[in-house]
């Protein structure tokens, strides 16, 4: 058996393992868990960190103000040094639409060791504490919520006994590049952090989606959120780990009616979103980077190369094994494409998208070693571990 055939067999074996043994990550049926309405609806404070978000606020903030929540709820938007009138626009939208009370605050420049977003979250939580809420909803300024979103989140936390209930908002998929890259982004995230494992008792897998995180206020204090994660690169995952480390329970799943309205029309926009934190995900570790590149190549690139090379060389076994691995790969991607209402012919293109992600990861490492830090909303962070989540 040729060496390349062996490599192709290993790639197929890897896909069989991912299909059956990685928490069925490819399934998209992990939605809000069993809900039970509380006898008395707890109070909730919604914290929205916002920096230069005037372009998206008209499509997102009114949905928060219009929440149909039976208990007491209030929105705190923290204007993190915006230069586009974000704070003034938020007040105008509140006056125009009414609904839940809105407070707009400003935290000032973050001190050394804090990212802007987490410093804004800290300020918002501090404002909210005066209301003594039982829950905090941390949501990004680009996230639009269905009218019953807050009610459903609280009922899910109450019914399942969770300290964190997080939904991965449905990202926008309108441009050509969004259709190609965005569903794969969520697919890869679920592969790294299988949703079924996160909510399982005793599981060490922890993750959340920063755009929509309902957090029990008592657990926020116990886990020292956000102070304990002020250096975190991927702050939503760090938040979930801190909560689990403090003995809390976390649930994460896909959203039905929680949507991101932020556009990523160009490949450059998506490239920045991914490369901003890709190397941080690897803990800035060169061996992990090399292993990741090799793993991506083995799992995603070998199957189509085997089909082409096997057909060109007249090696039926190489082509057949490669085709089978490619078919399993495409099959696992199909549910995510259906979730995003995208054509299924995009499934066989997953190797191409994975190659783009491989290049984004390498670029993230290159930028790190060039000492450029990371930029977010016009603010540059020299520290490699001081990069907030996009939003």
């Amino acid at each position: 058996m040729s060496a390349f055939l062996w490599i192709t067999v290993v790639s197929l074996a890897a896909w069989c393992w991912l299909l059956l043994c990685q928490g069925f990550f490819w399934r998209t049926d992990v939605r809000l868990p069993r809900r039970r309405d509380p006898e008395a609806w707890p109070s909730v404070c919604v914290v929205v960190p916002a920096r230069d978000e005037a372009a998206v606020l008209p499509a997102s903030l009114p949905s928060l103000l219009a929440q149909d929540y039976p208990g007491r709820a209030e929105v705190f938007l923290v204007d993190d040094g915006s230069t586009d009138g974000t704070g003034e626009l938020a007040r105008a939208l509140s006056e125009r639409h009414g609904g839940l009370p809105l407070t707009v605050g400003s935290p000032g420049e973050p001190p050394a060791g804090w990212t802007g977003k987490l410093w804004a979250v800290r300020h918002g939580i501090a404002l909210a504490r005066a209301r003594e809420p039982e829950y905090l909803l941390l949501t990004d300024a680009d996230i639009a919520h269905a009218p019953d979103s807050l009610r459903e989140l609280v009922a899910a936390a109450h019914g399942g006994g969770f300290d964190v209930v997080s939904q991965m908002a449905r990202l926008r998929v309108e441009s050509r590049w969004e259709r190609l890259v965005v569903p794969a982004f969520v697919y890869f995230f679920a592969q790294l952090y299988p949703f079924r494992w996160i909510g399982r008792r005793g599981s060490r897998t922890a993750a959340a989606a920063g755009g929509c995180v309902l957090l029990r206020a008592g657990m926020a204090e116990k886990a020292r959120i956000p102070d304990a994660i002020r250096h975190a690169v991927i702050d939503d995952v760090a938040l979930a780990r801190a909560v689990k480390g403090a003995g809390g329970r976390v649930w994460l799943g896909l959203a039905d009616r929680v949507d991101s309205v932020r556009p990523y029309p160009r490949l450059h926009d998506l490239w920045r979103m991914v490369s901003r934190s890709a190397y941080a995900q690897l803990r800035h570790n060169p061996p992990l980077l090399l292993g990741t590149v090799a793993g991506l190549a083995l799992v995603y690139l070998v199957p189509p190369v085997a089909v082409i090379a096997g057909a060109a060389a007249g090696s039926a076994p190489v082509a057949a094994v490669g085709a089978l691995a490619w078919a399993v790969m495409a099959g696992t991607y199909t549910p995510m494409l259906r979730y995003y209402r995208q054509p299924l012919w995009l499934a066989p293109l997953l190797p191409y998208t994975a190659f783009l992600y491989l290049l984004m990861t390498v670029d993230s490492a290159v930028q790190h070693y060039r000492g450029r830090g990371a930029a977010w909303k016009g603010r540059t962070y020299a520290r490699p571990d001081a990069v907030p989540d996009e939003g």
Side-chain angles (χ1 to χ4, degrees):
M1 186 180 291
S2 68
F4 190 65
L5 178 56
W6 274 113
I7 293 172
T8 310
V9 169
V10 171
S11 180
L12 174 60
W15 273 111
C16 291
W17 185 85
L18 288 170
L19 176 68
L20 301 173
C21 303
Q22 188 64 7
F24 295 101
F25 75 94
W26 45 273
R27 294 180 58 173
T28 57
D29 58 347
V30 181
R31 308 297 172 88
L32 276 177
R34 178 176 58 90
R35 274 90 82 194
R36 187 175 78 248
D37 290 353
E39 294 181 5
W41 287 89
S43 61
V44 182
C45 286
V46 182
V47 176
V48 186
R51 179 174 171 86
D52 292 335
E53 298 286 16
V56 296
L57 274 186
S60 61
L61 184 58
S63 73
L64 280 175
L65 300 175
Q67 285 300 298
D68 178 21
Y69 184 67
R72 181 167 58 88
E74 187 171 350
V75 180
F76 293 86
L77 185 139
V78 184
D79 182 6
D80 179 21
S82 299
T83 59
D84 65 350
T86 289
E88 293 80 1
L89 176 59
R91 294 186 183 94
L93 289 170
S94 177
E95 292 177 2
R96 186 185 312 159
H97 294 277
L100 299 183
L102 173 71
T103 299
V104 177
S106 179
E109 285 297 308
W114 280 85
T115 68
K117 178 180 176 181
L118 285 175
W119 180 244
V121 169
R122 187 181 194 273
H123 184 74
I125 291 177
L127 292 173
R129 282 202 179 103
R131 309 298 197 269
E132 298 183 344
E134 188 172 336
Y135 287 97
L136 299 163
L137 175 60
L138 311 181
T139 185
D140 288 342
D142 65 313
I143 303 299
H145 293 256
D148 61 350
S149 176
L150 184 56
R151 175 201 292 258
E152 291 286 280
L153 287 166
V154 171
H158 178 73
F162 293 103
D163 298 284
V164 167
V165 172
S166 179
Q167 287 187 291
M168 179 161 284
R170 199 189 303 258
L171 305 176
R172 201 187 88 142
V173 283
E174 295 182 12
S175 73
R176 176 183 61 182
W177 288 111
E178 286 171 339
R179 292 188 179 99
L180 184 67
V181 175
V182 165
F185 178 83
V186 181
Y187 172 88
F188 293 142
F189 185 93
Q191 193 176 90
L192 285 173
Y193 306 102
F195 297 160
R196 280 176 170 76
W197 291 356
I198 292 169
R200 185 184 303 166
R201 288 186 182 274
S203 170
R204 298 178 61 183
T205 304
C212 178
V213 178
L214 183 75
L215 171 64
R216 196 182 300 273
M219 178 53 67
E221 292 189 22
K222 183 177 180 182
R224 298 179 53 247
I225 304 294
D227 297 58
I229 61 172
R230 62 186 180 275
H231 296 313
V233 176
I234 307 172
D235 51 60
D236 43 14
V237 174
L239 182 150
R241 287 174 177 165
V243 168
K244 278 205 169 185
R249 293 191 64 204
V250 177
W251 182 92
L252 172 63
L254 295 174
D256 286 314
R257 293 188 297 155
V258 177
D259 303 291
S260 172
V261 298
R262 189 183 304 284
Y264 294 98
R266 303 170 300 166
L267 177 60
H268 172 72
D269 303 315
L270 292 158
W271 193 288
R272 281 195 311 143
M273 179 189 74
V274 176
S275 65
R276 180 184 47 81
S277 59
Y279 195 39
Q281 177 70 42
L282 303 177
R283 302 194 292 275
H284 304 107
N285 186 311
L288 275 180
L289 173 65
L290 293 175
T292 298
V293 170
L296 284 171
L298 173 67
V299 174
Y300 290 98
L301 304 186
V302 164
V305 170
V307 171
I308 296 170
S315 176
V318 170
V321 175
L324 183 55
W326 198 353
V328 175
M329 180 198 315
T332 64
Y333 192 38
T334 297
M336 189 61 69
L337 290 173
R338 286 202 179 103
Y339 171 73
Y340 271 97
R341 307 182 186 97
Q342 296 304 300
L344 299 187
W345 59 260
L346 288 171
L349 297 183
L350 185 57
Y352 173 70
T353 307
F355 181 62
L356 288 177
Y357 274 88
L358 185 155
L359 295 179
M360 294 173 194
T361 303
V362 171
D363 181 59
S364 180
V366 170
Q367 297 306 317
H368 169 76
Y369 289 113
R370 284 182 176 176
R372 294 181 181 177
W376 180 78
K377 300 290 185 182
R379 189 186 271 141
T380 300
Y381 297 87
R383 290 176 58 97
D385 59 348
V387 187
D389 271 1
E390 188 76 22

